[in-house]
Amino acid sequence: MASCIHRIEVRYRSDPRLSTRTGRIRSLGFPVQALHLVDVYTIATHSRDFSHEVLSKIAAQLINPVVQEYTIDRPTDFTPFDTAIEVGFLPGVTDNTGMTAKQTIEDYLKIRFLEGEAVFSSRLFFISGDLDPGMLEKFVQSLANPLIHRVHVKSRQEYGKSGMDHVTPFVSLHELPTAEIVNLDLTDADLARLGKEGIMDPVSGLRRGPLALDLAQLHTIREYFRSKGRSPTDVEIESLAQTWSEHCKHTIFASAMDHDVPEGLYKTCIKAATNRIREERGEHDICVSVFSDNSGAIAFDERHLVTHKVETHNSPSALDPFGGALTGIVGVNRDTIGFGLGAKPCINVYGYCVGDPDTEPLLFRGKNRQNPILSPRRILEGVVQGVGVGGNCSGIPTPQGWCYFHERYMGKPLVFAGTVGVLPRTSGGRMLHEKRALPGDHIVMVGGRVGKDGIHGATFSSEALDPASPVTAVQIGDPITQKKFSDVIVKEARDLCLYHSITDNGAGGLSCSVAEMAKECNGCHVFLDKVPLKYPGMAPWEIWISESQERMTLAVPEESLDALMDLMQRRDVEATVIGRFTDTGRCVVECHGHIVMDIELDFLHDGLPKKHLVTTPIIPNFPEPDTACPERLNDLLLSMLGRKNICSKEFIATQYDHTVQGGHVLGPIQGIGRVQASATLTKVVPGSAKGVGLSQAIFPSYSELDPYRMAIAGIDAAIRGLIAIGIPLDAIALLDNFCWCSSDEPSRLWQLKRAAFGCYDGATAFGTPFISGKDSMFNDFSGFDENNNPVKISVPPTLLISSIGIHPDVEKAVSMDAKMEGDHVYVVGRATPGLGGSEYFMHLGSIGNTVPALDIHHAKEIYQRMTGAIMNELVASAFPVAHGGLLIALAKVSIAGNLGMEVSLPEGIRPDYYLFSESPGRFIVTVSHENRDAFERMLGKDAHHFGRVGGSMLKVIAGRTLVDLPVDQMEAAYKAPFRRY
Amino acid sequence: MNPRIPERMGDTGTGNDGATGLIREKALIMSGYGINSEMETGVALLRAGMESDIVHINDLIAGKQQLSEYRLLVFPGGFSYGDDTGAGNAFANRVRNNIWDDLLEFMEGDNLVLGICNGFQILANLGLIPAFDKTYTRDIALMPNTKGVLECRFVTLKPANETLWTKGISYLYCPVSHGEGNFSCSETMLRHLEENHMIAFTYCRDDMSPAGGEYPHNPNGSVADIAAITSLDGKVLGMMPHPERAMEFVNLYDWPKRKEELKRAGKPLPSGSVNMQLFRNIVRYFGE
């Protein structure tokens, strides 16, 4: 253990962050008068001590003397203050700042820190203000997350002249690094318990955490090992649990369902749709690699492919929103780097479903008010920051995203993170979307080291009670470590042909990545004792399934091993040979000379027993609203513009770098009035006229009413977003992300089946193939309220449809903002009945029952004509009607252009229903007077002319004046809700 | 809303795309440890007529590549070391602790140095800018933005002095994207910068009047709206905004609106953007 400990405390002489921060804290209700921030570096060594002189030089490396000053082993003094609060990390949590400080010291002094030596970063908050103990505790909670942070609080008196204490959060483990034999000759009850609670740890006598293996699976495993005449090791059981998990095998989507889906929903609805579309398209098929790799890929041009993949990271984000979202986005970046032989991540996308940030639900994971959930606002701010840091630090633009609020996300938020990649079709004579590990190739692990991170996911293992044990439930990403290997792999090693295959280490860690690649050559032999660890003392099974971030696994042939290792070393990227790929048909794992796993690959990958799922239909019957249409809709429109699912969330867009890589064409915010667009367009190949358009759509409020139409609405809106910017239908592909709840209940499975049928019908009718997808089936919160009553909150069944399309000529792209006085305003497409699940009905407090339908074949014709109009440059602006309906779309087009409009409605309609109907298939389009005739000829009866652009008011007339609002006033209402974020 | 100034309407800056040939001098674009804008910076230089090599700092340290073979050194944008210990600081330490002598030798020659965003932060931490003397002490700082978060948006920049970098530029219109771009220095230092005509660009409003410290025109709280400065000898430019990210007409935030205006006025669309001129000035410097 470190015996020499020094503290360097750094502060700004005049801290520019303070006024914003103090204002924010006060806005949260804390009566803080003054706030000061100090950054702390705790340097802990045992092999050497640093003199005060050397420490001064080190400090000079860590600060900017122009604006900062430091103290060494002497407490910073801010007089007066009332309380000092220090927030640092718990043992085992990634400390990027500490790591950078350590590297800086090593580089400066040309020394190496040894095992058990480190630099730890922490932050000290000095506050003065009249906070009572309860308020202070709440304030401390707002600064730290008990799952990852350690907090030390001192009053002014306690702080005195000695300041804060020295804390060095080293990990200390006392485990026996051997594999244990697991006895499966148990009663069914004990076997079930093994599956639910995990293997009994022989040292602690406690269960290790859920395997999530059911009885049928455990019987199959027992039979397998009986036939081999031996008992399994813990490594084997843990490995099977990972490989057979819902997360890896998607059992619910793969299993037979009822009598009409014997092949399972995935094959029947998703894959079959793509196969049928590809067949029908023949040589015009845009798909290149679908469902088989880490991402899906379509053709970009004759020389390039683009990939896309969207993932979710829901449970980790519920516990630690920042870390969960950060590891979510950098994780899906690796699905890009791990596509084919490596694609360059070029666009990030995001989507967040959270509870209402203005509420503070009192819910607890444990009884007796233990382990409270985080408030929706904390979750929102954390996930926003996490995805931002991930993309910003990695140099990947994040233009595309959305945020959706519903009370049923309060217990379990959904965090979607996606990445588009670009890669040449060929390099060095190889097709880059194909890869194959060969027998004899070295297994090389590249990137970060392995710790106990993420083992058994978000479970609270008993170890968490020991203060020196590492945090395992949540993890903080290290985007710079990943950026380093991303650059060397995608920009150097790939094109030097230094490896045969690559995949990322995500869920299940090495156990899944190596075993997955082993399929390519039919075998592997791994030496776990070669795997570099963050700290000593890990058991073999932990090393094998650890989900430590920022790692890739490569298959490297003997002849290029030296070149690869040399390159990695020069780029300061850790790379380690941990075994060999073989052709034995077996996955063999060895540790210190003992075989700890030896299972046939066939059994590992295909041995799990099949299931047959049964569904039960549900017929919704919700109250219909019974309010009359108001005389004037001004107030209604302003309230609707301020609804959280409609209003501006620009604060997210501007803190995400959306211009890096130099391809910005249509960004997240458009027009002089700065309105959030529904699609973005980015150039990904310099010099090409083409661009990648992205859009996304979700309608969770439709799912309890009509999951089939919910899916159709999502597909349509995601496609329509791209049509509006000028991307032709036949250049569009889709991705599906199902985030369901309680997927062991037949009625939820019925909703799932209906939504999946909607996916098949929607995709095939539009001719837009699915190229990638993911599902997360149990998004339920189970806990307690403040009075110990059990509470279960399930997310509304949520289907995110993401679209990707190739724009043929970005100079012809169309933005959403109204452009010029005098332009004509059209609504393109026709409304269908029903406002069930609409924002308007939710505003009225009863969601109704009828979700609007869509005639896809007619919509398809309209979209093709819209593309024609845009390609002929007849359209000045186009915007899809979505959440909030027609009037909201009109208002947004008007605000974005900072131009008024005057429109007249057709006769015989109920105005509020007409104006707030979200029926799919429609656009608001503005057209110059010069192009009016040509546009009308092209669109025919599907374009309804209903007004002109002009003035500074939005006026809507239907016999009487329904709306007359200044654009400024609408803009203020649209931007008000998140103005303080 | 401010009306667009007339000269922006008529801007027809065209892409060079190497059409007039490349100059012989080459640029070294530094990479590694989280620098991330090296590729688009290389593309921007090439469009203006200069070739470049992207070189990992470790290859310079190992002597595999030589700085002396280049005439322009670029520290591009990025998030080196994740901004830990202060943006640009850790990368500056890596430079100072390993290739400082080579860099000083490079500075002695008739060479140029450009730092954009994270590159500016690195230059400031190295003291290569403003560099009133050859001791290269740190005189300025790029502190956290007053809003406390990264800010990504288009800004309008006005040249504040006639320098080799600003020649022929009436304005730039390009994105900022940084968490620490809040230019800060002592009042004495500010006076020195002003007296020696070292302020290259300032943030301004759409009508070219000064931002006056007002968000979002001045996006980060920089003193005197400073967006870019040069070294005393003028050969080093550090700037927070990213001209290399908006080299084409369609990269500009307001291009769809401007396209409609140009189209209806019967004018052709420009292929390049105003931001190209900054890189042309580099090429012109070596060409002269």
Side-chain angles (χ1 to χ4, degrees), chain A residues 227-497:
Chain A
S227 76
K228 301 291 159 194
R230 66 179 177 92
S231 288
T233 67
D234 55 358
V235 179
E236 289 171 321
I237 295 293
E238 298 279 359
S239 191
L240 283 162
Q242 291 295 332
T243 312
W244 290 8
S245 66
E246 177 59 37
H247 191 90
C248 290
K249 286 290 178 209
H250 306 280
T251 18
I252 291 169
F253 258 78
S255 298
M257 188 178 268
D258 299 336
H259 64 278
D260 53 343
V261 192
E263 297 277 298
L265 289 175
Y266 166 65
K267 276 190 188 156
T268 308
C269 299
I270 309 296
K271 207 171 176 182
T274 298
N275 287 344
R276 187 177 138 189
I277 293 162
R278 295 187 70 178
E279 244 167 61
E280 285 172 3
R281 296 280 285 275
E283 59 183 25
H284 300 295
D285 176 26
I286 56 171
C287 300
V288 176
S289 171
V290 289
F291 305 121
S292 56
D293 207 332
N294 292 303
S295 305
I298 60 171
F300 177 78
D301 61 17
E302 282 175 4
R303 293 180 46 232
H304 298 88
L305 307 176
V306 288
T307 68
H308 198 4
K309 166 72 170 278
V310 178
E311 271 279 11
T312 50
H313 225 209
N314 306 335
S315 294
S317 302
L319 298 172
D320 173 22
F322 173 77
L326 171 56
T327 49
I329 193 71
V330 295
V332 75
N333 291 164
R334 287 196 302 279
D335 282 323
T336 309
I337 302 163
F339 170 84
L341 287 163
K344 183 184 82 164
C346 60
I347 309 171
N348 280 346
V349 304
Y350 65 91
Y352 313 129
C353 294
V354 290
D356 183 343
D358 290 335
T359 60
E360 278 193 64
L362 274 177
L363 293 170
F364 303 86
R365 290 197 180 82
K367 275 192 176 168
N368 303 316
R369 297 176 157 235
Q370 291 300 301
N371 216 333
I373 62 163
L374 296 173
S375 71
R377 178 163 178 166
R378 283 244 356 234
I379 290 178
L380 175 64
E381 290 183 338
V383 298
V384 165
Q385 200 194 353
V387 168
V389 166
N392 294 344
C393 285
S394 309
I396 303 165
T398 310
Q400 173 65 43
W402 51 269
C403 198
Y404 186 90
F405 302 94
H406 193 289
E407 57 179 10
R408 278 168 57 189
Y409 295 115
M410 72 167 70
K412 187 90 171 264
L414 304 180
V415 173
F416 298 88
T419 303
V420 175
V422 61
L423 73 166
R425 285 175 185 254
T426 60
S427 169
R430 304 188 297 176
M431 302 288 277
L432 288 186
H433 70 278
E434 290 171 352
K435 57 185 160 189
R436 182 153 200 184
L438 295 178
D441 285 353
H442 294 277
I443 305 171
V444 178
M445 188 183 100
V446 170
R449 296 186 148 224
V450 172
K452 294 179 78 160
D453 320 59
I455 290 174
H456 288 159
T459 54
F460 299 90
S461 71
S462 46
E463 293 163 335
L465 302 172
D466 177 352
S469 71
V471 169
T472 59
V474 291
Q475 41 198 313
I476 292 184
D478 174 5
I480 295 300
T481 290
Q482 179 156 317
K483 173 68 176 158
K484 289 196 291 185
F485 74 64
S486 171
D487 280 354
V488 68
I489 288 171
V490 176
K491 296 177 183 172
E492 297 188 88
R494 179 192 72 194
D495 298 328
L496 293 167
C497 303

Side-chain angles (χ1 to χ4, degrees), chain A residues 12 14 16-17 19-20 41 60-67 96-97 100-101 103-104 107-108 110 344 392-395 480 483-484 487 491 566 569-572 650 653-666 669-675 683 686-687 810-813 815 817-821 823 873-876 897-899 927-928 930-931 971 981, chain B residues 1-2 4 32-40 43 47 56 58-59 61-62 64 78-86 89-90 93-98 124-125 138-154 175-177 180 182 184-186 206 215 242 244-246 248-253 255-257 259-264 269-271:
Chain A
Y12 281 95
S14 167
R17 301 164 296 183
S19 69
T20 311
Y41 300 93
Q61 298 270 313
L62 300 176
I63 68 153
N64 186 336
V66 182
V67 288
N96 292 317
T97 307
T100 297
Q103 286 171 12
T104 297
D107 199 25
Y108 175 58
K110 306 297 175 205
K344 183 184 82 164
N392 294 344
C393 285
S394 309
I480 295 300
K483 173 68 176 158
K484 289 196 291 185
D487 280 354
K491 296 177 183 172
D566 174 62
Q569 199 244 330
R570 284 193 283 126
R571 298 299 172 251
D572 207 355
E650 184 181 343
T654 51
Q655 63 180 288
Y656 290 180
D657 186 343
H658 49 267
T659 57
V660 64
Q661 299 191 16
H664 170 277
V665 179
L666 293 176
I669 307 291
Q670 294 179 11
I672 201 166
R674 300 184 70 84
V675 172
K683 280 196 171 195
V810 299
E811 268 195 9
K812 291 185 175 168
S815 66
D817 48 315
K819 297 295 185 307
M820 299 279 193
E821 297 255 352
D823 281 4
E873 302 188 80
L874 303 176
V875 171
N898 193 37
L899 285 166
V927 174
S928 70
E930 187 193 346
N931 289 329
E971 182 182 343
Y981 276 65
Chain B
M1 298 292 163
N2 294 308
R4 291 269 170 249
Y33 293 95
I35 280 179
N36 62 35
S37 297
E38 66 273 18
M39 287 194 153
E40 54 269 39
V43 170
R47 288 175 70 105
H56 196 286
N58 288 357
D59 283 350
I61 294 171
K64 286 181 91 79
F79 264 84
S80 56
Y81 291 92
D83 277 0
D84 299 335
T85 76
N89 185 48
N93 284 328
R94 180 114 185 113
V95 171
R96 192 190 285 276
N97 292 332
N98 293 285
N125 277 298
R138 282 190 274 198
D139 289 325
I140 59 151
L142 294 149
M143 294 203 294
N145 300 349
T146 43
K147 259 187 89 185
V149 292
L150 182 133
E151 189 75 29
C152 181
R153 63 167 67 238
F154 271 72
V176 287
S177 191
E180 302 186 19
N182 182 352
S184 180
C185 65
S186 68
D206 283 353
Y215 177 86
H242 287 279
E244 84 285 5
R245 294 188 184 176
E248 296 178 32
F249 177 69
V250 293
N251 291 143
L252 302 176
Y253 175 81
W255 79 267
K257 169 98 170 167
K259 177 187 167 184
E260 283 300 310
E261 289 165 348
L262 291 169
K263 228 177 75 183
R264 295 185 198 191
L269 299 190
S271 64

